[in-house]
């Protein structure tokens, strides 16, 4: 977890408490050492957070402290909230859905009152899914592998009904309404391949970084897809 994320998490923990919380208990909830807690509280106080208390007494965040709205316009905030609502309601990844809900809670808790009300009453909503959400229990592991640039072992059911096991380099995930699609470099085929969520039988992170950086893979893949689209257009003409 980055330091900025850790400070935000600490603020959320303090905001949820109405009475002083002992330092050791607060540090345990935040998953940090007591020494780090004291240092983070000092940093937040320097940034204007009204945190009262001392070691041995406990800490409490007094009302009135809000984070700056990061200079977002109402349209930008509405876009953020609408996107988070879509992920929370439409995603097959429960971890990502909980994170999206956390984003909405944090936005609501940190905006000034007038701006918060404007966002919450904007009238922009995401309707519930009309059908079952695509099954993809491997999505959390896949997202972690994409983030860390790790190769994964993939057990996959191909179009012919044959099960194959291959090692791939995942670099992108597409979230369509009725499907989830992974883009990866396949060591077996020595080419880019797309894998459908409903055909993935198992996915295991190897913990090993693949030899090419993700942004370079995405660049090569974009060129590859452009050539493929051009070829299809030429075939139809």
């Amino acid at each position: 977890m980055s330091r900025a994320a850790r400070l935000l998490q600490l603020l959320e923990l303090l905001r949820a408490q109405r009475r002083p919380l002992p330092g050791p208990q607060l540090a345990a909830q935040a998953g940090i050492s007591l020494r780090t807690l004291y240092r983070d509280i000092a940093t937040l106080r320097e940034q204007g957070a009204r945190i009262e208390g001392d070691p041995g007494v406990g800490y409490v965040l007094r009302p009135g402290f809000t984070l700056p709205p990061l200079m977002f316009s109402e349209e930008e905030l509405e876009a953020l909230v609408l996107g988070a609502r879509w992920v929370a309601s439409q995603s097959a990844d429960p971890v990502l859905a909980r994170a999206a809900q956390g984003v909405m809670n944090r936005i609501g808790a940190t905006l000034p009152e007038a701006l918060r009300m404007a966002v919450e009453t904007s009238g922009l909503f995401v309707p519930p899914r009309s059908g079952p959400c695509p099954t993809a229990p491997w999505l959390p592991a896949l997202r972690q592998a994409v983030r860390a640039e790790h190769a994964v072992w993939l057990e996959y059911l191909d179009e012919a009904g044959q099960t194959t096991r291959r090692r791939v380099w995942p670099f992108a995930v597409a979230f369509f309404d009725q499907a989830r699609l992974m883009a990866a470099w396949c060591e077996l085929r020595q080419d880019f391949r797309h894998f459908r969520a409903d055909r993935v039988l198992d996915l295991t992170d190897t913990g090993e970084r693949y030899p090419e950086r993700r942004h370079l893979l995405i660049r090569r893949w974009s060129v590859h897809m452009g050539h493929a689209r051009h070829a299809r257009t030429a075939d139809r003409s």
Side-chain angles (χ1 to χ4, degrees), residues 67-80:
L67 294 177
L70 302 180
M71 302 304 292
F72 287 139
S73 67
E74 288 189 14
E75 287 77 13
E76 290 169 334
L77 285 168
E78 286 176 350
L80 287 172

Side-chain angles (χ1 to χ4, degrees), residues 22 37 87 100 105 125 130 136 138 142-143 145 153 181 202 211 232-233:
L37 173 72
V87 173
N105 293 342
F125 298 99
S130 57
W138 44 268
L142 173 61
R143 286 191 296 102
W153 280 107
L181 203 66
D202 187 48
R232 289 195 297 268
T233 301

Side-chain angles (χ1 to χ4, degrees), residues 63-199:
F65 176 73
T66 57
L67 294 177
L70 302 180
M71 302 304 292
F72 287 139
S73 67
E74 288 189 14
E75 287 77 13
E76 290 169 334
L77 285 168
E78 286 176 350
L80 287 172
V81 171
L82 190 62
R85 285 173 176 166
W86 187 93
V87 173
S89 65
Q90 307 288 324
S91 176
D93 185 337
V95 176
L96 206 59
R98 286 194 297 272
Q101 185 62 53
V103 168
M104 291 188 290
N105 293 342
R106 183 167 296 169
I107 289 175
T110 57
L111 287 177
E113 180 68 16
L115 197 52
R116 180 180 64 81
M117 288 298 296
V119 170
E120 290 183 351
T121 60
S122 65
L124 302 179
F125 298 99
V126 176
R129 291 190 59 86
S130 57
C133 199
T135 301
W138 44 268
L139 268 176
L142 173 61
R143 286 191 296 102
Q144 175 61 34
V146 170
R147 187 183 306 126
E149 300 181 356
H150 284 178
V152 302
W153 280 107
L154 186 70
E155 195 170 335
Y156 192 72
L157 188 67
D158 63 20
E159 292 181 348
Q162 299 296 317
T163 300
T164 63
R165 179 173 170 81
R166 61 186 81 189
R167 182 176 150 117
V168 302
W169 309 347
F171 56 83
V173 186
F175 290 77
F176 296 101
D177 285 342
Q178 302 300 326
R180 303 293 182 263
L181 203 66
M182 171 177 61
W185 175 265
C186 178
E187 292 184 358
L188 177 66
R189 303 301 182 191
Q190 287 296 294
D191 200 357
F192 292 108
R193 287 291 186 269
H194 300 110
F195 302 96
R196 283 173 37 180
D198 56 345
R199 291 181 180 168

